Amino acid sequence: MFDLISQSNPAPQPKELRPHQVRAVEMIRASLAKGNRRVVCQGPTGFGKTLTAAKIIDAALAKQKKVIFTAPAISLIDQTVEAFENEGIRDIGVMQANHPRTDRLAKLQVASVQTLARREIPDAALILVDECHLGFHVIHRLMDERPDVFFIGLSATPWAKAMGLRWQDLVIPVTIGELIEGGWLSQFVVYAPDVPDLRGLKVQAGDFAEAQLADVMGDAKLVGNVAQTWLAKGEDRPTLCFAVNRAHAAQLQAQFERQGVAAAYVDGETDAVERQRLNRLFREGCIKVICSVRTMITGVDLPVSCIIDAAPTKSEMLHVQKIGRGLRVNPGTEDCLILDPAGNSLRLGLVTDIHHDRLDATEKGAKQERKPKAEKLPKPCSQCGVLHAGKVCPGCGHERRPVANVEAKDGELVEVTGKKRSPTMAEKQRFWSMALWMDRDRGWRPGRARNLYRDRYGVWPRGLSDVPMFPDQAFFSFEKSRRIAYAKRKAAVRAEVARQDPRSSSPAALIRQVPEVNGGRSGGS
């Protein structure tokens, strides 16, 4: 067994392991000490698995052990080598065609699984397998041929069928929710607009049949709604958009461009040079949306703060991997907006609620045990549309209340009625104070704070103190939702004007008739 934390070969200016990374190393070491030789470490997006792997590798190399690190794609080789070198690891060889770093005598060999399948594989005491949930045949063969070798698997979603037949143990040092609470991953908000009806679609290999799914999601109205929703809610954020197939991705790209949004298209055949160019334009803000077909799900390190998931799936693994692309904390956009027209969060749960504490051990040919869904599936907030499974909406602060006064009779459906809780004066004062702060900070026109208060409570502010107070997130979200609603009403009026005879009414006059959200005259007192 390896001593996974070694001081004998320190890397130059090494990064300090975060607490959850230290815990991961300790948990892997404890599992190996129990006699396990094939251990999977679950590390969510942003966990820092490459750094964790580097520390494990460094410890093994210090003991003169040979190591192989496998990446899931050839495109990830160079960035993996660079990451290891940044941690002071120098004795690296690359197994890939005529790669300039080819060195068969190097103690650490970095290879893609595709290359391993075509090469004579050197001896090694330790093999680390990135994205081990993908179930690579060559790795399974190595496990059969080399029972004495230590295997450490790394995955954000180690929930694939039959993984437990190959791997002996699963360690979970941290969850997505814990990383968010610790500030290592960003907070997120989910909306599920225009969710399609998927009833009757065939299921193939455990997921929706792609041809039928593409027909549903490729409907012109749905495609158009994706772009329109992004324009209304996307805040011009750098965005990844996941599509069903190539044709659907191309449709979405074209729709964004028709709306004046700079968009790009990426699929599995996009070469490395083109990807680098698009990534550079994306980082520079010249491209706002990249539409792709699964290819941007792993190995992506871009400043993404909005995810559009337009590809329905029954796979929890795929769902979590996609959303994970937007959860890294990026300067200036420390939160993530998730637009889910596919409805995956409604069917499968929020990514913070999906959890499995053991590997699946379904035998070949047997039906996989139905995995329990997230304990509480989210529902849209009745006030702002944010998906959540809790009591209080994280978007606008609206509180769900249990239904009272329910009567039931055998064989009958009865109407459900209940009393609506009245807001307290303290809640009203808090809201009014935050509106006053916003009024002063943003230089609102007279009466806008009063109208915003009326939007929230249906009455004008009375008997309250005019003391400003810095707004909380719920207030910011409510105020933003009112502005969006106003913009939509204006757009609807413009559309109506376009249908009318220009001589019959003035477009400007019609638009002025739209009640401005928390704006205009202050009204009565």
Side-chain angles (χ1 to χ4, degrees), residues 46-252:
F47 166 79
K49 62 182 178 182
T50 304
L51 176 58
T52 305
K55 299 302 182 183
I56 294 173
I57 291 169
D58 192 45
L61 296 179
K63 293 180 173 294
Q64 303 303 310
K65 304 294 185 181
K66 292 184 177 181
V67 182
I68 297 174
F69 182 93
T70 72
I74 292 174
S75 60
L76 301 177
I77 294 299
D78 288 342
Q79 70 184 55
T80 300
V81 171
E82 181 182 2
F84 289 160
E85 286 188 324
N86 288 340
E87 297 307 312
I89 300 173
R90 295 287 182 264
D91 195 6
I92 304 176
V94 173
M95 296 175 62
Q96 178 190 325
N98 297 317
H99 197 283
R101 294 296 301 270
T102 298
D103 182 358
R104 293 180 176 84
L105 299 180
K107 290 289 195 298
L108 169 62
Q109 296 292 326
V110 178
S112 68
V113 288
Q114 296 91 335
T115 300
L116 280 185
R118 302 189 300 267
R119 296 284 189 91
E120 181 180 346
I121 302 173
D123 291 334
L126 172 66
I127 299 178
L128 290 93
V129 184
D130 194 13
E131 306 294 352
C132 62
H133 63 276
L134 296 176
F136 307 109
H137 176 73
V138 65
I139 300 299
H140 294 168
R141 176 166 59 83
L142 278 174
M143 287 180 170
D144 293 337
E145 295 175 352
R146 305 182 185 186
D148 295 331
V149 171
F150 290 94
F151 287 81
I152 296 176
L154 304 170
S155 173
T157 55
W159 312 320
K161 180 179 178 179
M163 277 192 72
L165 301 180
R166 292 286 184 176
W167 298 89
Q168 296 171 306
D169 194 20
L170 171 66
V171 299
I172 306 175
V174 70
T175 65
I176 291 179
E178 290 167 344
L179 287 177
I180 292 174
E181 290 175 6
W184 305 110
L185 290 180
S186 65
Q187 300 284 341
F188 65 90
V189 173
V190 186
Y191 293 91
D194 306 310
V195 175
D197 185 357
L198 302 179
R199 289 175 297 181
L201 262 64
K202 292 182 180 178
V203 176
Q204 296 176 345
D207 212 340
F208 296 113
E210 183 179 295
Q212 288 186 324
L213 192 59
D215 287 341
V216 172
M217 299 304 295
D219 178 83
K221 182 179 178 181
L222 282 179
V223 171
N225 285 347
V226 169
Q228 288 293 335
T229 300
W230 186 86
L231 288 168
K233 293 185 179 292
E235 301 174 351
D236 206 33
R237 292 170 177 244
T239 301
L240 287 185
C241 176
F242 296 105
V244 175
N245 58 13
R246 289 182 172 90
H248 185 219
Q251 273 184 290
L252 289 167

Side-chain angles (χ1 to χ4, degrees), residues 301-365:
D301 188 14
L302 293 173
V304 176
S305 60
C306 178
I307 295 291
I308 300 175
D309 192 356
T313 182
K314 297 175 74 70
S315 168
E316 289 178 332
M317 293 189 295
L318 189 55
H319 173 48
V320 173
Q321 292 275 358
K322 286 189 287 188
I323 300 305
R325 296 308 94 201
L327 295 185
R328 294 181 185 275
V329 177
N330 300 298
T333 52
E334 284 78 13
D335 63 338
C336 182
L337 174 66
I338 299 166
L339 305 178
D340 187 6
N344 290 325
S345 294
L346 289 170
R347 284 190 304 274
L348 303 173
L350 300 176
V351 294
T352 45
D353 297 329
I354 298 174
H355 180 75
H356 303 283
D357 57 7
R358 59 187 175 88
L359 300 171
D360 182 87
T362 305
E363 294 285 349
K364 184 178 180 179

